[in-house]
């Protein structure tokens, strides 16, 4: 099975993921993603926790509550501080990997942009991507849009 590799900036943390199991890839323009990425938006690869494997190092984490009240745990390198993924705690079935931490980002094709009402005014959304002013009610449409992108 093909895997994609990634890691932190200093090289202390290394991981791999199974691209065949990716549920979706989104760009989020919410203020929290802008803040954590120190950029205009964050890119997240959503996949089952079982499709992510830590190869080297130990992640450090901190938690906050989302707008919906759910646990949002941020996992990062204790040496360089690069955030690598988010999850909903130890029992969460899915994980959100920060797409920019992959070794090869040329393989990425986001399926959707969320929280576009918070997007920077100079950001232009691709014509073929789903766009949501806030957060979608369910993930089903995001998952279908991603499957449609990779089957082309």
């Amino acid at each position: 099975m093909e895997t994609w590799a990634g890691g932190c900036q200093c090289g202390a943390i290394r991981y791999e993921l199974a691209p065949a199991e990716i549920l979706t890839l989104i760009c989020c323009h919410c203020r929290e993603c802008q803040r954590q990425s120190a950029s205009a938006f964050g890119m997240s690869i959503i996949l089952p926790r079982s499709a992510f494997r830590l190869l080297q190092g130990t992640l450090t984490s901190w938690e906050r509550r989302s707008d919906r009240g759910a646990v949002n745990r941020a996992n990062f390198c204790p040496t360089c501080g690069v955030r690598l993924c988010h999850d909903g705690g130890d029992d969460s079935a899915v994980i959100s990997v920060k797409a920019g931490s992959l070794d090869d980002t040329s393989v990425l094709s986001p399926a959707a942009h969320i929280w576009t009402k918070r997007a920077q005014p100079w950001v232009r959304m691709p014509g073929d991507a789903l766009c949501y002013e806030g957060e979608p009610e369910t993930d089903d449409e995001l998952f279908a849009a991603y499957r449609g992108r990779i089957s082309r």
Side-chain angles (χ1 to χ4, degrees), residues 127-146:
D128 64 342
L130 288 175
C131 292
Y132 296 89
E133 284 191 353
E135 194 163 330
E137 295 276 327
T138 70
D139 294 327
D140 296 341
E141 193 173 9
L142 299 177
F143 297 166
Y146 184 74

Side-chain angles (χ1 to χ4, degrees), residues 32-45:
E32 289 297 323
C33 283
Q34 291 174 2
R35 186 174 288 123
Q36 74 84 26
S37 67
S39 188
F41 56 87
M43 284 181 40
S44 297
I45 298 168

